[in-house]
Structure formats: C-alpha cells, structure tokens
C-alpha cells in the first residue's frame, strides 16, 4: 500500500517553501527540527522575541546556561543573545544543505534585532551588523521591521551585503516601500563593487491580524458589510504577489539580475488562523504559488500536514482580490490605515514580548 502523499512536500514541488515559525533548543537537541526538514521539507526558520520567551521559559536545555550567565552578572540583553545565538547557529547548520542546494535561494534562519530599535535606524543598522558578525553564518537573515526607520536600516544593511527578513508588513504600501528599499540597497551594493549574489531578502506580510482588525470594522458596520468578512488577508496577499511580479519579474529588474541579484521573496506570515469560524489552513491553502514562502506555527503545520490540500492557488482569483479591496474601500475600510494601525500595534506587541523576556532573564 502506498504511503499518503505529504501535502507539505507537494507544496514544495509547486515552488513554495514552507518555513517553521518556531525555534527552541528542544527542537534542536531532541531532533525535532531535523525530522521536520527530512519528512516535511521544512526549508527555513523564523524566530522572534515571543518565540524565544516561550522556548527559554519552557525548555530545560537553557537552565544551566542561564544560571552560569546570571552568576557572572551578565546584563539581560547580552544574556539573551548569548542564549539564542547558539540556537540560531545550530538551526543555520541544519539548513545549510538546503542553502547550498538552492545556491542561496532557500535554507535561511531569521534573528530579530531588538524591538526597542523599531524607530531607530542607526541603532537597527548597528545591531544588525553586530548580530551578523556574532552568528557568522551565510544563511542568516537579520529581521528588521518595516517601519520608516526600519526602511532606512534595510537599505543600508542590503548596501553592506547583509541579508534581511523584513517583518511587520500589513499593507500594499508596506510591500512597495520595502521593495524599493531593497532595490536602493542593491544598487548601492553593486555601485560599491559588492557582490549581490550573497544577499537575500524576504518580505514578511502578516495576514491573520489583517482579517482580525478588518472583520472587527466590518462587524461595526453590519448589513451587507458582513459578507466581506474573512477575505481581506488572502486578498492582500494576492495583490502583494501581483505587485511583486510587476517589480521583480519585469525588465526593470534585469539590470540587477545581470549582476546575480536575487528578487526579494514574498513571505506569508501570521498564518495561524485566529478566528475558529475559518479554516485552520486558510492562509496556507489559499496562497500556494512559486517563489514564495509560508512560515507556519506548529499547529498550522500539523493541520496542513493532516488535512491540507496542495494546489497552485496563489495566482487564481487575482481579479476577485481586487474586487474585494474595492468593496472594502466602498464600505469605508481604509486598508492603508489598517496597515499603519497594525504595524504600530505589532511594534508594541514585540516590545512587550521582548521586555517580558528580559525580565525573565534579569
């Protein structure tokens, strides 16, 4: 009897990478991450302060190092970095085969700069370069928010040959701003004689949080507006992918590609469904397409493995996505403002998670 086909592996065959939105020493030391790579084709890892708070507070593999570093009176933030940098290095090493096989197009691990720097371009740049030097892995992505200050830092990091995962994107305006920052950085890197072939950037668009806020606004309107609920996140991703194609699959990008530069890759983030009325694989099944990434939390990964269907869906329904955005606008929903609100909230949430983490380690 043939073994059932793994939809995660099928998704990879359709050109989309599945990354894990989680990391801990338990996953590394007990072989969980290695198994996910081998059996499910997981080809990248994303992390953030909330993920590391959960890891450090629950996994027994940190206790000895925490006690040792506290005994040495190590301040909380350097202590945190001393704990997580080895985890990032170990994950990078596990992903290195994929990185080599794809010639640097996949197989990355993300490490976020301090959320306290979200509005500090110079501080973000310095932290990003310092973390890159500390990790010393080619397949590291420095994670930077798409705030106005973050865009300045992203351009500079790219110009200095540092690979970047841009986080906290919630709108088409964010998608465009991040793409332009990447292109400016590439141009500066090339102009200075740098090698763009070693630079990777992914643009992480958050989805479920968009539906949560838009649905709340639609609920307050009532009537026909209620029919629009639960569709904004997927529509946003489809329109963002169309914008990606216009920017990176056009003649305008040729001047960069001739130097070996890679297109920035769209990454679907916040893909765990928050509303139980919606499918638990909504933000995976609806957005499968080539040259994209979906980073999934453990529960969504398990759900898609169990009952997900892998078919090429990302490029279908583009006109429906546009119609939906127009209907939202007609109903009075300002999607650009939704994006700004969610980004501001996201920065606060990441800052709170980081503060909680530092208190744990103080």
């Amino acid at each position: 009897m043939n073994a059932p086909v793994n939809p995660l592996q099928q998704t990879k065959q359709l050109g989309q990478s599945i990354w894990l939105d989680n990391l801990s020493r338990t996953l590394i030391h007990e072989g969980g991450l290695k198994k996910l790579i081998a059996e499910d084709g997981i080809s990248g890892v994303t992390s953030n302060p909330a993920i590391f708070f959960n890891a450090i507070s629950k996994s027994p593999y940190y206790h000895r190092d925490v006690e040792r570093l506290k005994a040495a009176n190590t301040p909380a933030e350097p202590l945190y970095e001393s704990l997580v940098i080895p985890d990032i290095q170990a994950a990078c090493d596990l992903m290195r085969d994929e990185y080599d096989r794809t010639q640097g197009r996949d197989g990355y691990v993300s490490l976020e700069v301090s959320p306290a720097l979200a509005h500090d371009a110079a501080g973000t740049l310095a932290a990003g370069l310092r973390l890159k030097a500390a990790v010393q892995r080619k397949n590291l992505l420095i994670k930077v928010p798409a705030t106005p200050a973050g865009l300045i830092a992203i351009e500079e990091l790219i110009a200095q040959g540092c690979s970047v995962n841009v986080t906290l994107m919630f709108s088409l305006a964010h998608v465009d701003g991040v793409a332009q920052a990447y292109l400016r950085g590439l141009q500066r890197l090339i102009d200075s004689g740098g090698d763009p072939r070693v630079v990777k950037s992914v643009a992480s668009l958050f989805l479920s949080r968009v539906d949560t806020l838009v649905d709340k606004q639609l609920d307050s309107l009532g009537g026909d507006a209620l029919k629009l609920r639960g569709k904004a996140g997927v529509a946003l991703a489809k329109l963002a992918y169309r914008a990606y194609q216009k920017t990176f699959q056009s003649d305008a990008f040729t001047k960069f590609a001739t130097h070996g530069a890679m297109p920035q890759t769209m990454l679907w983030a916040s893909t765990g469904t928050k509303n139980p009325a919606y499918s638990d694989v909504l933000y995976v099944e609806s957005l499968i397409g080539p040259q994209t990434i979906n980073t999934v939390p453990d529960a969504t990964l398990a759900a898609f493995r169990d009952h997900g269907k892998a078919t090429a869906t990302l490029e279908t329904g583009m006109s429906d996505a546009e119609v939906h955005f127009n209907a939202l606008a007609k109903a009075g929903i300002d999607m650009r403002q939704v994006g700004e609100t969610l980004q501001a909230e996201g920065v606060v949430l990441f800052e709170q998670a980081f503060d909680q983490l530092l208190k744990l380690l103080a």
Side-chain angles (χ1 to χ4, degrees), residues 60-105:
Y61 296 104
Y62 295 95
H63 292 168
R64 183 174 297 177
D65 283 343
V66 170
E67 291 174 0
R68 173 179 58 81
L69 290 163
K70 282 187 174 182
N73 295 316
T74 307
E77 190 164 344
L79 194 159
Y80 157 74
E81 291 181 2
S82 295
L83 294 177
V84 304
I85 284 174
D87 295 0
I88 295 291
Q89 290 171 323
C92 283
D93 293 344
L94 287 171
M95 291 294 167
R96 185 55 191 261
D97 284 348
E98 183 71 7
Y99 173 86
D100 290 338
R101 186 187 69 79
T102 61
Q103 297 182 310
R105 295 185 179 275

Side-chain angles (χ1 to χ4, degrees), residues 24-27 29-30 52-64 66 87:
S24 70
R25 288 191 184 177
T26 298
L27 271 172
H29 293 341
E30 296 184 1
F52 277 125
F53 175 84
N54 188 59
I56 293 168
S57 62
K58 294 181 179 180
S59 173
Y61 296 104
Y62 295 95
H63 292 168
R64 183 174 297 177
V66 170
D87 295 0

Side-chain angles (χ1 to χ4, degrees), residues 21-23 46-58 62 77 80-81 84 88 110-118 131 143-145 167-168 206 209 346-361:
D21 193 26
N22 194 19
L23 184 60
T46 48
S47 68
N48 60 44
I51 284 171
F52 277 125
F53 175 84
N54 188 59
I56 293 168
S57 62
K58 294 181 179 180
Y62 295 95
E77 190 164 344
Y80 157 74
E81 291 181 2
V84 304
I88 295 291
S110 297
L111 175 61
E112 188 165 344
V113 299
S114 167
L117 300 171
L131 291 172
K143 203 170 184 182
V144 176
T167 188
L168 293 181
F206 285 53
R209 294 189 197 181
V347 168
V348 171
L349 288 172
F350 275 1
E351 286 178 337
Q352 290 174 344
F354 196 59
D355 287 345
Q356 189 179 26
L357 178 55
L358 296 184
K359 287 177 182 177
L360 175 72
L361 299 174

